[in-house]
Amino acid sequence: MNRKLICSAVALACLGAAGSLYAQDKQQAITTVVKITGIAWFDRMEAGVKEFATQNAGVKTEQTGPGQADAAQQLRVIEDLIAKKVDALAVVPIDPAALEPVFKKAMAKGIKVVTHEADNQKNTMVDVEAFENAAYGARINDRLAECMGQTGKWTSFVGSLGMQSHVQWAEGGAANATKKYPKMQLVDAKTESNNDATKAYEKAKELLRKHPDIKGFQGGSSVDVLGIGRALEEAGLQGKVCVFGTGLPSETAKYLESGAITGIAFWDPKDAGLAMNKVAKLLLDGKTVTDGMDLGIKGYDKVKVTKGPGAGLVVKGQAWVDADKSNYKQYPF
């Protein structure tokens, strides 16, 4: 063989090997986009996002989101990330419908899309849910009903009517009460707090004026119970009106101790962050999630996988936790 050709062949082989090594060394970039930055719920999620990177060499993770729970702001954040050519997006949508076009655009560009709290999302590859949302809302409502003696007026809060999971929790609670507690009367259902504790407080005060005989509140956003609890304390109604809803132990401790919040429910946002990033990594590696799979994360050790409303999948864990004054200190977040 011609000596020059041999040398050229060796050189090409070396270049090919180098290119292969480069591809293997290239970090996979996964960006988690939350509903709003700067609140304890998503600060806790960020701990999971960072932990995933430490557990997986070759993966670069970050978390970002809008400064306010505004769908238009969240959309702009995602547009910027598409322009930066991230490898995967793990998003907790404020309004799933508002993000359909931008997710479609991302996937057309080869970006893997994973969502959370959005089982109605069509343009996603996998939506990760901590549990069955209607069942979660019903469970909170059962606890509320027990506290209320299964009778009297009650109401429900949501971060916004566009937040799919919050609406499902509220409607799950309402359906549960209709079926099981005929003496309970739902008033002013799905009051919007905009994921703002101060707005939840103001809305709760309005409802107390409008319904001075109200006996129960079911919160949706993780900050709803904070605003409701504050309003009840100011009115001297702690321990007299029942309050249950999604919340974090660290944030609700004061009101749990005073009785202004009766009980909370939650899933660990850290574990949800880990689960979303784990699924994104599977997709980047050309794999997928299968029914019964163990993701190696508490509450997601035997996931249920079903077809979503679009071409993607919905993955559900069994990750909810009930807490009240007696046990909230077991959860250090």
Side-chain angles (χ1 to χ4, degrees):
M1 184 181 285
N2 183 290
R3 193 171 182 177
K4 287 184 178 180
L5 289 175
I6 293 172
C7 291
S8 296
V10 171
L12 286 170
C14 291
L15 284 171
S20 176
L21 287 170
Y22 173 76
Q24 290 174 8
D25 290 342
K26 183 179 181 294
Q27 282 190 312
Q28 296 172 326
I30 305 173
T31 299
T32 300
V33 182
V34 298
K35 294 178 183 179
I36 182 172
T37 57
I39 66 172
W41 186 271
F42 291 119
D43 288 346
R44 176 68 176 175
M45 181 170 283
E46 189 168 20
V49 171
K50 290 178 178 178
E51 183 175 305
F52 187 79
T54 65
Q55 294 174 347
N56 293 271
V59 178
K60 177 185 177 182
T61 67
E62 66 172 345
Q63 180 171 300
T64 186
Q68 295 179 310
D70 179 85
Q73 288 186 33
Q74 189 180 46
L75 187 148
R76 287 194 292 272
V77 169
I78 296 168
E79 288 276 14
D80 288 345
L81 291 168
I82 293 172
K84 290 177 181 177
K85 300 180 180 179
V86 297
D87 296 307
L89 290 165
V91 184
V92 190
I94 293 171
D95 184 345
L99 298 182
E100 294 288 11
V102 75
F103 284 159
K104 186 176 181 179
K105 176 181 176 181
M107 290 190 292
K109 291 181 177 292
I111 296 171
K112 308 302 182 187
V113 175
V114 176
T115 50
H116 177 54
E117 293 189 59
D119 65 4
N120 63 331
Q121 195 82 57
K122 294 179 181 178
N123 286 296
T124 184
M125 299 177 77
V126 180
D127 178 70
V128 179
E129 298 294 320
F131 38 67
E132 175 67 49
N133 284 318
Y136 177 76
R139 171 59 187 159
I140 294 174
N141 187 256
D142 278 335
R143 297 170 71 199
L144 179 68
E146 182 179 2
C147 177
M148 291 174 56
Q150 302 182 13
T151 184
K153 291 181 181 178
W154 69 286
T155 191
S156 60
F157 276 51
V158 295
S160 78
L161 292 174
M163 292 182 181
Q164 172 75 353
S165 56
H166 293 192
V167 171
Q168 288 175 319
W169 302 339
E171 291 180 349
N176 186 68
T178 298
K179 180 180 179 181
K180 297 166 67 175
Y181 310 115
K183 294 182 180 179
M184 287 173 60
Q185 179 188 354
L186 177 60
V187 296
D188 295 284
K190 293 182 282 193
T191 295
E192 294 182 280
S193 67
N194 298 112
N195 269 25
D196 185 315
T198 300
K199 288 184 180 177
Y201 159 73
E202 292 167 351
K203 295 287 187 178
K205 288 203 301 181
E206 289 175 14
L207 286 165
L208 288 170
R209 286 193 295 268
K210 185 176 179 180
H211 304 285
D213 56 344
I214 197 166
K215 292 179 65 177
F217 287 80
Q218 178 168 329
S221 165
S222 67
V223 299
D224 286 349
V225 290
L226 300 178
I228 296 165
R230 178 184 166 194
L232 291 181
E233 275 198 351
E234 284 191 4
L237 294 173
Q238 63 270 33
K240 299 175 183 177
V241 175
C242 303
V243 180
F244 288 85
T246 302
L248 282 181
S250 60
E251 288 189 317
T252 57
K254 170 188 172 184
Y255 295 119
L256 286 168
E257 290 292 341
S258 75
I261 296 174
T262 320
I264 56 173
F266 54 89
W267 64 104
D268 191 339
K270 177 183 175 182
D271 290 339
L274 281 166
M276 281 194 292
N277 279 259
K278 175 64 179 287
V279 171
K281 171 86 168 112
L282 286 171
L283 295 175
L284 288 171
D285 292 344
K287 302 174 184 177
T288 190
V289 191
T290 55
D291 196 48
M293 179 182 278
D294 182 355
L295 295 181
I297 302 160
K298 185 178 179 181
Y300 303 86
D301 49 356
K302 191 177 181 181
V303 297
K304 180 180 178 182
V305 178
T306 57
K307 186 182 181 303
L313 302 173
V314 176
V315 174
K316 296 176 182 176
Q318 306 85 31
W320 80 53
V321 178
D322 292 335
D324 55 26
K325 184 178 179 179
S326 70
N327 70 337
Y328 78 91
K329 292 179 182 177
Q330 297 175 21
Y331 306 96
F333 55 86

